Structures are given as C-alpha cells and as structure tokens.
Amino acid sequence: MATTQSPTTARSTRGTGGARSTRSPSAWAFVLLRSAFTVAPIVFGLDKFTNLLTDWTQYLAPWIDFLVPGDAQFAMWGIGIVEILAGLLVAIRPRWGGWLVAAWLFGIIVNLLTLPGYFDVALRDVGLLAGAVALALLAREHDGLVRRA
C-alpha cells in the first residue's frame, strides 16, 4: 500500500502477514476518527426514529421544543435526518463533514447546558466536538491520501 508521505512523517510497522505499513500515526488517527464520525451519527440518527437506545426527547430543552414545529418527537425525527446526513458527509467529504459535526455538537452542548441535569453529557460532547475538529483538520492532510491508498 503506497502513500505519498514525506520520509519524516512516514512510519513503518509490521502489519498482518509481515507486510510493512507506511501509514503515519496521524493517518491512522484520521481513519479512526472518520470511521467513528461516520458510524455514530448515522446510528444515533436512525435511533431517533425508533428510540431503542433511549428516549431522545428527554434531551431536548423546552425552549428548543417551543421553537420547532410539532412535538418533541417530531423534532427528534428532524434531528435524526440531520445526523444521518452529517454521517454520510463525513464518509464522503470529511473536510466538510468534520466541521458540520463539530457545529452540530456545539448546538447540542448549548441545548444540554440549558437543560438541568445533563451537564455530564454536555462535557462528554465537548470531547466529541474536539474529535470532530481534529477530524476536519486531519482531513486537510490525509483525505486525498486515503482515497489513493
């Protein structure tokens, strides 16, 4: 598997079958973040329609429920559609998808900080936001390499 990395950033490690991999640690980080931020939003977006993992309406602040048309479940369906689309965008264009997921997570954090009892979830989402920004930044360097590899 050939890449176009400079000799200073390439790392050679033994892979399966004794083959050598020349992917850098940042390239592996990019693949990991891209995979996670593709799968998670799609899974959580789909679950907004089934509520198998949790009752998602409990995470919607009343002031946001007041702003959107319909009830809280209707809002969650719309949120689910956005999350699915965000996951697909990360898969196709991680440079843009990473920033979209980061912005979406910022909105979720604002929502959770205005909803008493969910500050721990908001703190977790700050970490996810940092991961989404890292993905967008890594994509500037690695997105083309991953497609050619």
Side-chain angles (χ1 to χ4, degrees):
M1 160 168 41
T3 61
T4 58
Q5 298 174 344
S6 70
T8 58
T9 60
R11 301 283 188 269
S12 182
T13 57
R14 292 269 179 206
T16 55
R20 295 184 82 74
S21 171
T22 57
R23 275 208 178 148
S24 69
S26 67
W28 285 112
F30 170 70
V31 170
L32 174 66
L33 289 170
R34 185 180 194 175
S35 301
F37 283 109
T38 295
V39 173
I42 292 172
V43 169
F44 293 135
L46 289 171
D47 195 59
K48 299 296 191 292
F49 294 91
T50 63
N51 289 316
L52 293 174
L53 298 173
T54 189
D55 175 13
W56 292 102
T57 60
Q58 69 181 322
Y59 297 105
L60 188 65
W63 68 272
I64 294 177
D65 190 19
F66 177 75
L67 291 175
V68 296
D71 62 3
Q73 184 57 55
F74 185 77
M76 284 299 139
W77 293 338
I79 289 167
I81 291 169
V82 171
E83 289 175 344
I84 293 166
L85 293 175
L88 293 173
L89 185 59
V90 168
I92 298 165
R93 294 278 187 251
R95 291 180 197 213
W96 303 108
W99 290 116
L100 175 62
V101 170
W104 189 252
L105 284 162
F106 180 78
I108 292 171
I109 292 164
V110 169
N111 169 71
L112 291 170
L113 289 176
T114 62
L115 191 61
Y118 293 97
F119 300 140
D120 56 335
V121 181
L123 180 60
R124 180 213 54 203
D125 287 349
V126 169
L128 289 172
L129 186 148
V133 169
L135 168 65
L137 295 173
L138 286 167
R140 292 173 57 194
E141 181 177 345
H142 296 291
D143 187 28
L145 294 176
V146 169
R147 290 186 186 174
R148 287 190 298 263

